[in-house]
Amino acid sequence: MRNPIIVALDVPNAEQAITLADQVAPAVGAFKIGKELFTAVGPDIVRRIRATGASVFLDLKFHDIPNTVAKAVASAVRLDVQMVTIHTSGGPAMMRAAEESAQKTALQLGRPAPLVLGVTVLTSMDGNELAAIGCDSNVGRHVERLAKLAMDCGLRGLVCSPLEIAALRQIIPAHAQLVTPGIRTGSEKADDQKRTLTPKEAMDAGASWLVIGRPIYAADNPRESAEKILASLT
Ligand code: C5P
């Protein structure tokens, strides 16, 4: 079985990121580098994590005009990441440009194209927030609309909340990959994640990958925590 655990390296500097990655690498499938770490230390952290042989999910959620997003995705492909995120609300032309750029640049470099993952509605947004920006105030309906659009535009995966997995599996092709944060085992301290599933529940619902941050990096023993989560999936 492929290891579906992606550990979020939500730490402020390169040293902490490398230490954490070294600690948990044998028990996980990939690492997510997000805005905090990337903005603090730059693309070199991607190269350093890739140099350990680990896969990287670059979670910068690009949202801009198609030309700019295509160039940003090309830069991500040159960094040799395996997954990259864009906002589906950037629209069809932007999504198509991102996917085309991933395929074209990867072909030029002779490597597999990274998965360009679409982010639908941020889980921090509720119906009132959606209505305030002029969207359908029904969150589930808006997520489904953006998910279908992303598939029509050629994206091969989406980021979604654990509670959206089952509904999305009904409307997207079986080969589409779903990457899911909001995973909690039940044994960690309460935090800002409100709507969670356990790792096993999320996989059973149809997740392809689990993004896990605090349950691993804030544990007393991150390696042991990752191993326990992996064991819980079988
Ligand atoms: O620590 P925790 O397991 O909550 O970390 C989850 C990771 O997934 C964080 O990097 C967070 O930014 C990201 N994420 C999320 N919810 C989303 C999208 C991304 O928690 N809807």
Side-chain angles (χ1 to χ4, degrees), residues 33-152:
I33 294 174
K35 288 189 172 92
E36 178 189 12
L37 184 60
F38 191 87
T39 305
V41 304
D44 201 46
I45 188 62
V46 177
R47 296 187 194 100
R48 290 179 68 184
I49 299 287
R50 285 293 293 134
T52 70
S55 298
V56 169
F57 169 11
L58 185 63
D59 185 21
L60 299 180
K61 298 189 179 69
F62 297 137
H63 185 170
D64 211 312
I65 58 171
N67 183 53
T68 300
V69 168
K71 287 182 178 172
V73 168
S75 293
V77 178
R78 282 185 215 107
L79 277 174
D80 197 18
V81 303
Q82 283 60 53
M83 296 178 180
V84 60
T85 39
I86 63 172
H87 272 287
T88 56
S89 50
M94 192 204 82
M95 285 193 271
R96 286 201 188 92
E99 181 64 31
E100 274 170 27
S101 173
Q103 301 286 351
K104 201 176 103 197
T105 313
L107 192 66
Q108 281 164 0
L109 296 175
R111 56 174 66 136
L115 203 53
V116 179
L117 296 165
V119 173
T120 58
V121 178
L122 293 171
T123 48
S124 54
M125 296 187 83
D126 59 13
N128 290 331
E129 295 248 343
L130 276 183
I133 58 166
C135 297
D136 187 335
S137 65
N138 182 306
V139 178
R141 213 161 46 209
H142 198 55
V143 167
E144 289 185 20
R145 179 190 182 120
L146 290 171
K148 278 192 199 141
L149 184 63
M151 297 294 107
D152 289 348

Side-chain angles (χ1 to χ4, degrees), residues 7-12 16-18 20-21 24 31-34 36-37 45 49 212-213 217:
V7 176
L9 296 176
D10 292 336
V11 293
Q16 284 182 45
I18 297 289
L20 175 62
V24 303
F31 293 102
K32 181 170 89 77
I33 294 174
E36 178 189 12
L37 184 60
I45 188 62
I49 299 287
I212 307 180
Y217 73 72

